[in-house]
Amino acid sequence: MTTKPTPGQTGIGDMDAGEFREWAHRVADLAADYLEGLEQLPVVPNVKPGEIRAQLSDAPPVDPQPTEEIFADYKRLIEPNITHWQHPRFMAYFPSMASGPGILGEWLSATLNSNVMMWRNAPASTELEECVVAWLRQMLGLPGTFSGMFTDTASISTLLSLVAARHKVLDLETPTRLRLYASDQAHMSIEKAAMVIGVGPDGVRPIPADRNYRMDVDALARAIREDRDAGWQPFCVAGTLGTTASTSIDPARAIGELCRDEGLWCHFDAAYGGALALVPEYRDLLAGWELADSIVINPHKWFFTPFDASLLLFRDGDAFRNAFALNPEYLKTATDGQATNFNEYGIQLGRRFRALKLWIMIRYFGTEGFARRIRAHVEWAREFRDWIDAAQDWERLAPTPAATICFRYHPSGIDDPGTLDRLNVDILERINEEGRFYLSHARLDDRHTLRLTIGNLRQTRAHVAEAWQVLQATAARVTPRED
Ligand SMILES: *Cc1c(COP(=O)(O)O)cnc(C)c1O
């Protein structure tokens, strides 16, 4: 292709306004075409490791390349070779779905490129973040005692919370053996945060879960007593409201009350399960979570928000400011003390303008629109649960409080654990290799567990019904095998 470089490419400035406008329209078409045609694509591309890299140039181009060619390569090499998280037949892990209004908001926030470090250099973005955090808090039915902010991920929201929790006890004395508690079903982000804050793997005591994978709060109380007697200093309990393997919900109220009695920081990881609270009649599932010191919910999971956005809610913002605020001379401004400077509540100085996409989305869908969608997903999940329960050769391996179902194929006459595991490994591999659906797995009570999650705005009941058909048809084609 011989195209002359444009003025934007030959000078020392940016792409010029006319060229930007033209490509902005064409990229809008690329995006709309992708979303419209998504369902025709396999969910998982048929590529081997290294295959894409081999088609990418080893060295960066010295001279400008035609824009036409750049986007043609995007369309040819990148778009078809991703695993399509937006696909209605993506039912693995947890949903991560970018709604139309969310994508538009993400685009505008890239356009403004507002860096939300402090009020002076981001007035509207700071105040919009405060507003949207308060909106989300209300949408979740949490009291006005909570404020908060956005971070990139639940892992980071949890890390910040554990730093604040530890800072609170370090203010009083300097104990050497701090301990925090989480169930044996908790996400690895708790352990990672513990590594980063220096309490180490020994500083996390796993608490056994009951047969429904919920933290056993009596065992928690005993562990705290034992540890105090042995010279540990307990400082925090991290409950999970919607665990990653089975979506089990720890007893929030019992944990919150125990933390209050014991003087411990109460953290709830509701990265996935928090979305349930968007539906008023599901809030009972999380009852007591309002006793928390900190709560993490990921709008980029079951909230239709383009990656990334994690909501960190806290009861005592000063606990975070005490842990994180440093005010070097180069950041001092005339409005300090009159407005929020979000960098004082966490590790990062520069922060993305995440509130914009959520503001646009919440106004576009309305709170009732969110509730209606979550409710539909939960209802389809309950229907799928009932299909599993009614089927002779299938069994459910965990309760289904949200929109994720844990189950396995278990034909009558086959009870050897290894054989059952291999059957289910084979079913999952076949389905994912064929690429029409994408499911994932977990290990529950040492059983290979299939996991199907619903939560995508492009999904309909028909997709869920088809997944059940495909599972049954695939199971009929696998044969039990010896190791
Ligand atoms: C997904 C998930 C996380 C991790 O979320 P990131 O935003 O990817 O860090 C943590 N906890 C739970 C319960 C999750 O489901």
Side-chain angles (χ1 to χ4, degrees):
M1 218 181 295
T2 51
T3 317
K4 262 192 15 218
T6 64
Q9 293 183 299
T10 51
I12 55 167
D14 193 11
M15 182 183 248
D16 76 37
E19 196 186 5
F20 179 79
R21 184 177 302 279
E22 183 199 330
W23 279 98
H25 284 288
R26 292 184 60 179
V27 167
D29 282 337
L30 266 180
D33 288 348
Y34 171 72
L35 295 176
E36 232 171 33
L38 193 50
E39 196 162 355
Q40 309 334 311
L41 302 172
V43 187
V44 181
N46 183 16
V47 284
K48 308 241 157 1
E51 223 174 277
I52 297 151
R53 181 67 204 265
Q55 297 175 71
L56 300 168
S57 165
D58 281 338
V62 175
D63 295 316
Q65 298 189 325
T67 315
E68 193 79 47
E69 199 176 300
I70 300 167
F71 287 106
D73 284 348
Y74 158 83
K75 183 87 185 160
R76 181 175 62 88
L77 283 175
I78 310 301
E79 195 181 277
N81 289 323
I82 63 158
T83 293
H84 303 281
W85 283 74
Q86 301 260 63
H87 200 296
R89 293 191 303 268
F90 184 108
M91 297 182 180
Y93 309 108
F94 281 135
S96 182
M97 149 96 213
S99 58
I103 296 170
L104 300 178
E106 187 71 58
W107 196 0
L108 288 177
S109 91
T111 306
L112 295 176
N113 205 29
S114 173
N115 183 338
V116 198
M117 19 168 121
M118 51 219 243
W119 186 86
R120 180 65 274 170
N121 58 35
S125 351
T126 298
E127 294 184 19
L128 190 69
E129 183 159 343
E130 292 176 312
C131 162
V132 171
V133 166
W135 281 10
L136 285 167
R137 175 193 54 75
Q138 295 169 62
M139 289 166 70
L140 296 162
L142 284 163
T145 41
F146 284 96
S147 58
M149 63 181 183
F150 292 112
T151 75
D152 55 356
T153 56
S155 304
I156 297 301
S157 296
T158 288
L159 172 62
L160 302 186
S161 303
L162 296 195
V163 172
R166 182 195 56 176
H167 195 80
K168 229 170 163 162
V169 292
L170 287 180
D171 266 356
L172 305 174
E173 51 189 295
T174 310
T176 48
R177 298 170 76 210
L178 288 175
R179 212 156 220 191
L180 74 101
Y181 306 83
S183 93
D184 57 19
Q185 300 293 307
H187 189 265
M188 67 170 180
S189 53
I190 308 288
E191 200 177 327
K192 280 199 188 180
M195 286 155 58
V196 177
I197 68 172
V199 304
D202 278 355
V204 185
R205 179 160 175 176
I207 303 299
D210 66 16
R211 62 191 180 80
N212 286 330
Y213 309 105
R214 296 155 49 96
M215 190 193 287
D216 175 344
V217 182
D218 291 333
L220 170 66
R222 280 196 302 276
I224 293 168
R225 264 199 313 276
E226 255 174 47
D227 282 354
R228 287 204 200 277
D229 290 346
W232 290 90
Q233 176 160 2
F235 76 107
C236 174
V237 178
T240 311
L241 309 180
T243 57
T244 310
S246 75
T247 74
S248 60
I249 298 172
D250 287 344
R253 184 170 309 287
I255 293 171
E257 286 173 354
L258 183 65
C259 285
R260 193 186 52 204
D261 295 346
E262 294 280 349
L264 307 182
W265 183 283
C266 177
H267 176 72
F268 284 126
D269 175 357
Y272 166 73
L276 283 167
L278 294 170
V279 185
E281 68 266 27
Y282 299 159
R283 284 186 192 150
D284 277 354
L285 290 163
L286 309 169
W289 70 331
E290 68 279 2
L291 299 172
D293 293 289
S294 50
I295 304 178
V296 175
I297 300 148
N298 274 3
H300 71 224
K301 278 192 172 152
W302 194 11
F303 256 66
F304 326 125
T305 307
F307 198 79
D308 57 19
S310 173
L311 173 67
L312 168 59
L313 291 173
F314 38 69
R315 176 180 296 284
D316 175 14
D318 283 344
F320 287 77
R321 283 195 74 228
N322 292 342
F324 288 111
L326 299 173
N327 278 306
E329 184 58 35
Y330 51 80
L331 291 181
K332 290 197 186 343
T333 67
T335 51
D336 291 348
Q338 300 164 40
T340 302
N341 294 330
F342 274 114
N343 80 82
E344 295 170 3
Y345 294 79
I347 297 168
Q348 291 176 260
L349 172 58
R351 300 172 66 256
R352 302 186 61 229
F353 184 15
R354 299 187 179 88
L356 184 60
K357 57 190 170 189
L358 276 145
W359 183 61
I360 293 173
M361 284 173 56
I362 295 168
R363 295 182 62 182
Y364 180 86
F365 291 121
T367 61
E368 180 45 39
F370 277 91
R372 193 164 61 242
R373 289 165 172 83
I374 300 288
R375 200 182 281 121
H377 300 156
V378 170
E379 281 167 9
W380 297 335
R382 288 177 180 172
E383 220 178 327
F384 186 96
R385 172 198 68 189
D386 294 344
W387 296 335
I388 294 284
D389 289 352
Q392 276 285 314
D393 290 345
W394 295 80
E395 76 182 313
R396 196 148 53 85
L397 298 182
T400 309
T404 303
I405 308 97
C406 295
F407 58 98
R408 70 172 172 178
Y409 181 50
H410 186 168
S412 53
I414 298 181
D415 289 305
D416 172 60
T419 309
L420 286 173
D421 275 359
R422 281 187 294 277
L423 265 177
N424 285 280
V425 166
D426 289 351
I427 290 171
L428 186 64
E429 268 179 17
R430 272 197 194 216
I431 289 177
N432 289 348
E433 253 165 44
E434 281 161 15
R436 184 158 176 84
F437 280 88
Y438 188 35
L439 307 180
S440 60
H441 74 278
R443 202 143 185 99
L444 292 174
D445 275 340
D446 209 22
R447 294 171 299 187
H448 191 82
T449 304
L450 305 180
R451 242 174 122 275
L452 179 145
T453 195
I454 301 165
N456 179 314
L457 299 184
R458 285 182 194 86
Q459 272 161 353
T460 62
R461 186 184 168 281
H463 292 110
V464 181
E466 190 194 339
W468 177 225
Q469 294 308 316
V470 167
L471 275 156
Q472 290 172 290
T474 309
R477 294 194 336 257
V478 297
T479 38
R481 57 183 169 88
E482 300 294 311
D483 217 351

